[in-house]
Amino acid sequence: MKQTQAYLMESNEEAFRLELKTDVEAVRKQALWCGVKAGLRVLDLGCGPGKTTEILHSMVSPAGSVVGADYSAERIAYAQEHHGGKPGIEFVQCDLTKPIEGLGLFDVIWVRFVLEYFRKESPEIVKRLRTLLKPGGYLCLIDLDNNCLGHYEMPEPMNTLLPKLMSCIDEEFNFDTYAGRKLYSYLYDQNYENIQVELMAHHLIYGEARQSDVFNWLKKLEIGTGKMHSFFKEYPGGAETFLEDFRKFFLNPRRFTYTPLILCKGMRPYDEGVS
């Protein structure tokens, strides 16, 4: 299936990056807050390589089931190979910017780290998901806010350039650096009931960084700078020097890095029935 736009983080190592950075206990904590429990039918929308889908599956088993959906044929193939083949877990390819049909209804729809890649389409995506949710079911939206910008003490001129870089990426790749703060309004505007909001730390890095965090952050910057190479013509030494400067900054145990994670959930009203 042809995707509607280029995925900002696409690379040969993307499945590995996504698997490596997924914190099992953090996912379980977030899923418990969202109401995921044994016996439910859950949709993991934007499932990527499937690790999160498998975590959700472990929480709804044995009577429940999970469907992982993603637009990337490569990611779905990886998910089926590494996390599929068990009763109650299924992976399907779909384009979430279009109506999704044939999957039935779900008790919980889990949309984590997805809407940040669809700045323009997010309100319509949320609107269409309503038809996949059982009355009384919950739509759970989870995303980062102030993405990639929570660093101290970043030296100049890197400190000046990074916000401009993220703004440029937003415009060029339909990314949303501030996706998290918008999630509540998406549910409010669609008249969901019992809307709840939670704030957690996604990245909270100080002292010696874990190797998984080092790989994740440097890989993100490597891919981003590669796709925005001309943007760095005014940075002393260009993109390569920017990457090296960030690496030195990030490996310094004095560095402090954080990224807020915003979780929102809302219930589809019982009185709507199923259309």
Side-chain angles (χ1 to χ4, degrees):
M1 183 179 296
K2 183 179 180 181
Q3 65 191 76
T4 57
Q5 64 185 57
Y7 172 50
L8 172 61
M9 292 303 298
E10 193 60 73
S11 77
N12 293 332
E13 297 181 277
E14 180 59 0
F16 176 72
R17 185 188 75 87
L18 291 170
E19 291 264 293
L20 184 65
K21 81 183 191 74
T22 300
D23 184 324
V24 175
E25 291 308 312
V27 171
R28 289 183 62 86
K29 179 180 179 181
Q30 295 157 21
L32 285 170
W33 184 87
C34 289
V36 175
K37 60 183 179 180
L40 298 186
R41 187 166 192 256
V42 177
L43 173 61
D44 181 8
L45 191 65
C47 67
K51 185 172 181 177
T52 298
T53 315
E54 187 171 46
I55 297 168
L56 297 174
H57 175 256
S58 72
M59 297 175 69
V60 302
S61 295
S65 62
V66 179
V67 176
D70 201 276
Y71 73 80
S72 169
E74 292 80 6
R75 227 73 77 222
I76 290 297
Y78 182 100
Q80 289 172 336
E81 178 181 355
H82 293 83
H83 302 290
K86 297 179 285 291
I89 189 168
E90 178 185 2
F91 292 100
V92 299
Q93 187 182 1
C94 70
D95 184 347
L96 78 166
T97 65
K98 299 177 181 178
I100 300 173
E101 301 175 344
L103 296 184
L105 296 176
F106 296 88
D107 299 292
V108 173
I109 299 177
W110 163 279
V111 188
R112 180 179 183 260
F113 302 157
V114 174
L115 297 180
E116 62 187 5
Y117 294 102
F118 297 93
R119 180 170 53 86
K120 297 176 183 177
E121 299 89 350
S122 286
E124 283 300 312
I125 290 172
V126 173
K127 181 178 180 179
R128 282 194 294 268
L129 290 179
R130 193 185 202 91
T131 62
L132 297 174
L133 197 61
K134 296 178 183 178
Y138 275 83
L139 175 58
C140 303
L141 309 178
I142 306 172
D143 241 310
L144 303 178
D145 198 72
N146 210 41
N147 201 339
C148 294
L149 297 177
H151 304 287
Y152 185 83
E153 180 176 23
M154 184 174 283
E156 296 293 346
M158 190 162 45
N159 189 54
T160 299
L161 184 137
L162 192 56
K164 295 179 181 178
L165 173 63
M166 294 308 298
S167 179
C168 190
I169 287 175
D170 286 356
E171 291 301 318
E172 293 292 326
F173 290 92
N174 197 27
F175 190 67
D176 196 343
T177 301
Y178 305 103
R181 67 188 63 182
K182 302 175 183 178
L183 303 181
Y184 169 77
S185 66
Y186 296 156
L187 296 176
Y188 181 90
D189 291 345
Q190 292 302 314
N191 297 313
Y192 278 83
E193 296 182 349
N194 301 333
I195 299 175
Q196 299 176 52
V197 180
E198 183 61 83
L199 178 67
M200 300 179 182
H202 180 59
H203 299 121
L204 185 57
I205 306 169
Y206 52 92
E208 296 291 340
R210 298 179 302 176
Q211 286 303 306
S212 57
D213 287 327
V214 173
F215 177 83
N216 180 42
W217 277 92
L218 295 185
K219 180 58 64 174
K220 287 197 298 184
L221 264 294
E222 175 189 324
I223 294 171
T225 53
K227 293 183 177 181
M228 304 289 293
H229 201 271
S230 61
F231 179 85
F232 295 88
K233 60 185 179 181
E234 297 182 3
Y235 189 86
E240 290 77 12
T241 302
F242 176 84
L243 279 174
E244 180 59 22
D245 288 347
F246 186 87
R247 186 189 72 82
K248 291 177 180 177
F249 160 76
F250 199 77
L251 293 178
N252 185 343
R254 184 180 180 274
R255 163 268 307 114
F256 183 84
T257 291
Y258 77 100
T259 310
L261 178 71
I262 299 178
L263 303 86
C264 294
K265 63 179 178 181
M267 186 188 78
R268 181 178 179 183
Y270 281 103
D271 58 11
E272 284 189 349
V274 178
S275 58

